[in-house]
Amino acid sequence: EDEDSTSSAVQLWRRTNCHSAAVPTLARRLRAAVSVQGLAGSGLMQNANAATPWLFGPLTMAQLHLRTLLSDARSEWTEERAALTGRRRPDLIIVSLGGNDFNHQVGHAPSAEKFGQAYSRFLASLFTATAEGDAHAPPGLVVVSICGQGSPADLAFDPDNNRCRPCPNVEAAVHTFRRERPSLATRVHYVFVPCDGSVVREEHGSGCQGHMTPRGQAAVADFLVPRVAKIMQWGEGADYDAGSM
């Protein structure tokens, strides 16, 4: 029994693990320090399966994104906290939100207008105050919103798990934000990761609950590396010299 349990744990680790997710892999490729704020099932306006709130709780990433510990609302972004912990404040924030708002909601997805407004407010919050409301984001902060990262295998496993479903709304929200806030327009970007199998292939979708395997996550990182490096002007090829994200 112990051997079976160990074998199952090893197989699960091979199929899905946070260390091999796309963003940590991207950070290693770009030689960047990284901190990942995320919670399975979290959305921007509503969490996955919002009709059963006990599954994921009432807080969305709009409230949780500044936390390193989900139970601690103090932000790590203030200069005081950064000095205390020795952590750098971010040069780059990658936002990947929308899928849980629009999938698995039994017909109760937000309207494009309301989602766009919420997304714009979220982007603005990244450039203004931290959770304490007494400090501003680092000068020169860049935000890259990404969407997609799916494959045909996702829909084969779960027809209500279309990772590209929110993308038109995310893209529109980013463009609206840039148009309405011209002073920040060059610091907010949108990157679409196709769901047609050209990036994440069918064999990459056999991880836990239909999520990508580490190979699929690596494929997304491969797609993002040159695009993020170009946006951040972090060099080319093996000469990346990144900051923190």
Side-chain angles (χ1 to χ4, degrees), residues 12-22 24 28 212-214 217:
L12 178 60
W13 177 258
R14 287 175 179 171
R15 290 180 178 274
T16 180
N17 64 77
C18 295
H19 177 76
S20 296
R28 289 192 295 273
M212 287 180 285
T213 63
Q217 299 282 357

Side-chain angles (χ1 to χ4, degrees), residues 63 66-76 130-132:
Q63 292 83 42
L66 288 172
R67 303 185 185 188
T68 298
L69 295 176
L70 296 180
S71 58
D72 186 351
R74 292 176 299 173
S75 169
E76 299 294 329
T130 62
E132 291 89 341

Side-chain angles (χ1 to χ4, degrees), residues 191-208:
V191 176
F192 173 65
V193 185
C195 297
D196 59 4
S198 61
V199 177
V200 182
R201 299 195 301 274
E202 185 173 356
E203 62 268 27
H204 293 156
S206 56
C208 178

Side-chain angles (χ1 to χ4, degrees), residues 28-45:
R28 289 192 295 273
R29 293 278 303 277
L30 294 175
R31 301 180 185 176
V34 63
S35 175
V36 178
Q37 274 65 44
L39 182 64
S42 293
L44 176 62
M45 296 180 66

Side-chain angles (χ1 to χ4, degrees), residues 39-70:
L39 182 64
S42 293
L44 176 62
M45 296 180 66
Q46 60 183 359
N47 295 329
N49 301 297
T52 52
W54 53 269
L55 280 174
F56 298 106
L59 300 181
T60 68
M61 287 309 295
Q63 292 83 42
L64 297 174
H65 71 281
L66 288 172
R67 303 185 185 188
T68 298
L69 295 176
L70 296 180

Side-chain angles (χ1 to χ4, degrees), residues 120 123 171-186 188:
S120 183
L123 291 177
E171 182 177 13
V174 171
H175 290 326
T176 298
F177 181 88
R178 295 179 65 174
R179 184 177 65 252
E180 294 179 347
R181 297 173 183 263
S183 64
L184 296 174
T186 60
V188 177

